[in-house]
Amino acid sequence: MRARFKALTSAHGYFYAHAMLKSVSVSDPSGGGYIDATFMDVRIRFQLLMIFGDDFEPRGRVVCMHCHTTYGRIVQESLGAFTFDAQGMTDLDCGIDGRVVEIDACAPQIVLMFLERAFGANRFL
């Protein structure tokens, strides 16, 4: 599960090389089991939680938090979460022909989706 979660870091290479979005940064996984993504001083954190599904198979639950400072205090607000299985299939809806979003193949889209939510949550940007 940790290796599948680490696939989110591949988004950095995509943004830097292929998409020419060098202002989007995705960190390597920390020792605390999270990955940070930053764009224009907006930081989001993907936190991995290990869980079991209804079938008692291991799953990864990724909680995404918008990390910012309000009145000098550090605040983390939930932007949502998703679950993935051992094959990397998530429960995210891509909205296109019912295709399944894979954490490995769709890492840039996942990062952008949650960054968009963070921008939408912040009315001052």
Side-chain angles (χ1 to χ4, degrees):
M1 292 298 156
R2 293 186 200 290
R4 293 281 184 197
F5 176 67
K6 188 177 179 181
L8 283 176
T9 63
S10 69
H12 183 78
Y14 175 81
F15 294 136
Y16 193 79
H18 301 292
M20 299 303 291
L21 288 171
K22 295 180 181 181
S23 55
V24 178
S25 175
V26 181
S27 73
D28 288 332
S30 75
Y34 64 83
I35 295 170
D36 286 342
T38 308
F39 177 68
M40 296 187 65
D41 294 331
V42 173
R43 182 168 53 102
I44 59 174
R45 175 166 288 172
F46 296 95
Q47 179 72 52
L48 176 64
L49 306 171
M50 304 302 282
I51 63 170
F52 287 98
D54 293 337
D55 54 1
F56 297 103
E57 291 294 319
R59 302 245 190 278
R61 181 77 174 156
V62 180
V63 178
C64 185
M65 306 295 286
H66 179 200
C67 305
H68 57 95
T69 304
T70 302
Y71 300 114
R73 295 182 59 210
I74 297 173
V75 177
Q76 292 186 348
E77 295 177 319
S78 176
L79 295 171
F82 64 94
T83 303
F84 65 94
D85 62 17
Q87 289 73 39
M89 302 300 181
T90 72
D91 59 357
L92 291 170
D93 180 17
C94 72
I96 303 172
D97 300 330
R99 289 188 300 188
V100 176
V101 176
E102 298 177 48
I103 195 168
D104 303 32
C106 302
Q109 293 88 340
I110 293 170
V111 170
L112 287 177
M113 180 179 72
F114 284 101
L115 276 171
E116 183 178 351
R117 288 184 188 179
F119 275 100
N122 190 343
R123 290 175 242 146
F124 300 109
L125 295 176

